[in-house]
Amino acid sequence: MTDTSGTAHGPLPLLVVDGANVVGSVPDGWWRDRRGAAERLRDRLAPLARSGVAGLAGPLELVLVVEGAARGVESVPGVRVEDAPGSGDDHIVNLAAAAGDRPCLVVTADRELRRRVQEHGAQVAGPRTVLG
């Protein structure tokens, strides 16, 4: 589980990854095994909880939001995986809104989702931010 307690300077910055959008940005056959693709993404994200990403220095609270056939992916150290109860986009917006004053970066290429999270003060970045 990710350490969300933060530091003496306050809570950790929040990195929220739109799992469906990031997985879908790479045409590698993900559609044949959506859950497996989400697990591979989760494992690729884990080191970023310590190191951070461009625009957001680590350590981070890192949340991977999954939906549909990808639900049920387990969390690992560094990455909390959350099943969206309905729309993944709505769940991501709720996470961004709950971030309050702490830095929040949402990784997605979805233009409408980008607009919605920016209304809550979140920064946005594309999938390459976490895919390298």
Side-chain angles (χ1 to χ4, degrees):
M1 211 41 115
T2 301
D3 176 12
T4 60
S5 60
T7 66
H9 303 288
L12 294 174
L14 177 62
L15 176 65
V16 181
V17 178
D18 179 352
N21 187 268
V22 172
V23 164
S25 72
V26 180
D28 63 358
W30 60 264
W31 51 89
R32 290 187 294 267
D33 181 11
R34 293 170 195 251
R35 186 174 174 154
E39 289 170 340
R40 288 188 299 278
L41 175 60
R42 174 204 61 201
D43 295 345
R44 194 170 183 177
L45 294 172
L48 300 178
R50 288 183 308 281
S51 66
V53 296
L56 196 62
L60 307 170
E61 177 184 357
L62 201 157
V63 180
L64 172 61
V65 176
V66 296
E67 59 186 316
R71 285 189 178 103
V73 170
E74 296 291 324
S75 295
V76 297
V79 181
R80 186 174 78 238
V81 181
E82 291 194 8
D83 294 342
S87 159
D89 289 2
D90 290 346
H91 191 68
I92 292 166
V93 170
N94 290 339
L95 289 168
D101 292 336
R102 71 178 165 149
C104 176
L105 178 68
V106 175
V107 176
T108 185
D110 181 310
R111 283 188 222 163
E112 178 61 15
L113 177 57
R114 285 173 166 246
R115 183 195 63 75
R116 291 175 65 196
V117 298
Q118 285 175 318
E119 288 177 355
H120 295 285
Q123 299 296 312
V124 295
R128 289 185 183 176
T129 302
V130 295
L131 296 177

